[in-house]
Amino acid sequence: MLRTLGGVRTCPSCGTENPEQARFCISCGTPLESPGEERRLITAVFTDIADVQRRSDPGADPEDLSAMLRPFHELLRRLIEGFGGTIEKVVGNLVFGVFGVPTTHEDDAERAVRAALRIRDEVQQRRRLDPSALAVRVGIATGEVVVSLGRGPRIGERVTGDVVNTASRLQSSAPPDGIVVAESTYLATRYTFRWQELRPVTVKGKADPIRIWAPIESRGRMAIEPPDPAGAPFVGRRDELSTLRTGFLSSMRDHRPRLVTIVGDAGLGKSRLVAELSVVTDELPELVRWRVGRPLPYGDTTAFAPFADIVKAEAGILDSDPPEAVASKLEETLKRVATGETEIERLRRYLLPLVTAQATTDDTTREETFSAWATFVERLAQENPTILAFEDAHGASPALFSFLDLLLDRVGAVPLTVIVAGRRELFDVRPGWGDRPGATTMELEPLAEAETAQLVAALRDRDTLPADLAEAVVERSGGNPLYAEEFMRMLRDQALREGGDERVPDAVALPPTIQALLSSRLDVLPPRLRAAAQDAAVVGFTCWPGAVATITGAPDEVARGTLEELVDREVLRRSKTTSVAGQTEYTFRHVLVRDVAYGRIPRADRARKHRAVASWLSGALGVGTADREERLAYHFAEAHDLAAAAGEPMAAAMADQAIDHLVAAANRAVGLDPARSLVHSRRALDLMSADDPRRPRTLLGAGSAALVAGNFDEADDDLRSAIELFALHEDEIGAADATVMLARS
């Protein structure tokens, strides 16, 4: 039981006394308060077992109804949870599932649609065997919700948001065995599935009809042939492509196996770099065998699924093939590549369990299995130069890396290139991976700003996307090609829907695909590090231990240690210099990571944290610091806006503080940057009440800035309003100042 005595919180695990506002023990990291709430991007799935009321006798015993529904509940639970979702609620014939809670995956929307397709397929299969079996209706929507962390799965308490209502309404509008998804889910998965747009529907709670789609089928997993390099232009990465090309060509020339490992953050172009190698191989006179495998992060899979996909591709085995067809196709392939009946028998024994549900024999050892698999690959490479590419290797099993190590050790003099691509987490899965003679490891860095601009320019539709917006995309993308492409797709879609409207928004919104991807990165952090990243995000793109410590109540040295852990996790970077004496300075590795971490904090908590940061900055920043007033004004104004939206009583006090700093910032900027001064004055006026005594002087400052900026009509309005208020307050000097300035306008 947590005890709070005299402003101290005693840790229930180790007994350490912590500051009252601390959320985690400064000694052992144990949470000291309930997890509270977070904003999350989720995909909601509502499944209704159709026609239950008509099929059941109104007077039927409830146990009979339960028995009728139980097989469907078990099916839905198996498939939704099998694809990484969570069952939030089961009420009779209605099942509510969520993807993105408790852990966010970068492909939650895709998982939800795949689960729905599997549900539909299995229900239809049951009905083919039993025509009296029931049908299902599925509604899916993606969007932001507030999640009550650490609480039980009770609808309306754990997950709350309009997206839940939307998914529920769409389920009601779906036909039997129909799947209907909202536009948000369609946009997040449109390149993964084939879609049919349906007639818009009007649902309860929505003033206008909403656009909906029905998934037809998956476009399939990653191609077993080389990935297609078409699409966005290939920019940058010329040195990396040269290294990859050299490794492959040397393997062909010397008949030696080569290992190339490509690591980098999501979206930096690992898959695209591999795809570009196919352009090189297409130009060669020899036929090059490409085989690609990747671990699936959901559904039914095994540690060796990526290699199984490669074997299936070589043999032409389809997932829909019956067992006898699988065995026949594998047999034909072995007859082609193996060196004799003995080897055919050996390879069949070890490969057939890989591509079917057949169990291995009891006396089979892993080394024997791996050795047989390596022989199969060696025979392929003897037939043609072979490239085996393993994508998303950070999600692979350690056992797969063990096989690849043995493969590279056992194969003889053959032209075999093994490419392993993934995020840096693959080194956590297999420490020391790639430390072998002749192996190459490349770590991709973000594109240079000029390269990102080149990519955006190539993607830009000049008829609908203005140059200012393209520049904003370059800045927000931070050198990540995927981010740039997703931003441009989103903006292009918006422009098409709005008929080519060229207005530039105040900020470039975050596409849901990127938000989910970055959320998944944050979710792999321990809770205390995730909380620290959120606190750092409130401070800004740049943060300091003292500011974070003020939010948490922990000592500066504890906050510094936590921020150093975030550096190790590649969430933050440590700056070489600092702008605050005595404080180590940190920055987020990408501005979008900061944005996503910040966006997950509920408004009331954000307001409190901004107030704490403003308090720390007021003491940490020197009075003469150039942007001191602007920084303080920002944090106090944010605290006001968020507190007001959340109904928190501190909003009025935060507005008062913000006004003082906004007015000071406006006065400082009026001569050098009148437009900026005017922005500050306008913001201050918005926060003031009509009878605030500071209002006439602020109007005078706004009029002065407008006059310097050449906005004469605006200046005239502000100065006349100031004169009226000065007169009302009987301030003759102020009225005279405003009158003199008005004469200049």
Side-chain angles (χ1 to χ4, degrees), residues 30 95 120 140 261 382 394 499 615 618 732 738:
T30 298
V95 176
R120 182 190 67 186
I140 306 176
T261 303
Q382 287 171 343
H394 54 277
S615 175
S618 64
E732 296 180 358

Side-chain angles (χ1 to χ4, degrees), residues 96 177 301 316 344 356 394 404 446 449 487-488 502 530 578:
F96 170 36
D177 283 347
T301 187
I344 289 175
T356 66
H394 54 277
L404 294 179
E449 184 175 358
F487 275 126
M488 296 303 287
E502 295 190 1
R530 190 163 63 243
T578 182

Side-chain angles (χ1 to χ4, degrees), residues 657-674:
Q657 294 269 25
I659 289 167
D660 284 343
H661 293 291
L662 284 165
V663 170
N667 291 339
R668 180 180 180 85
V670 67
L672 296 174
D673 190 352

Side-chain angles (χ1 to χ4, degrees), residues 297-324:
Y298 48 77
D300 299 327
T301 187
T302 69
F304 303 107
F307 183 62
D309 286 343
I310 287 171
V311 176
K312 290 177 183 179
E314 185 62 34
I317 296 171
L318 305 178
D319 288 340
S320 57
D321 283 341
E324 58 273 15

Side-chain angles (χ1 to χ4, degrees), residues 542-545 573-575 577-580 583-587:
T542 301
C543 63
W544 305 268
R573 287 191 179 96
R574 188 188 315 106
S575 302
T577 59
T578 182
S579 56
V580 178
Q583 291 283 321
T584 305
E585 189 165 288
Y586 300 87
T587 60

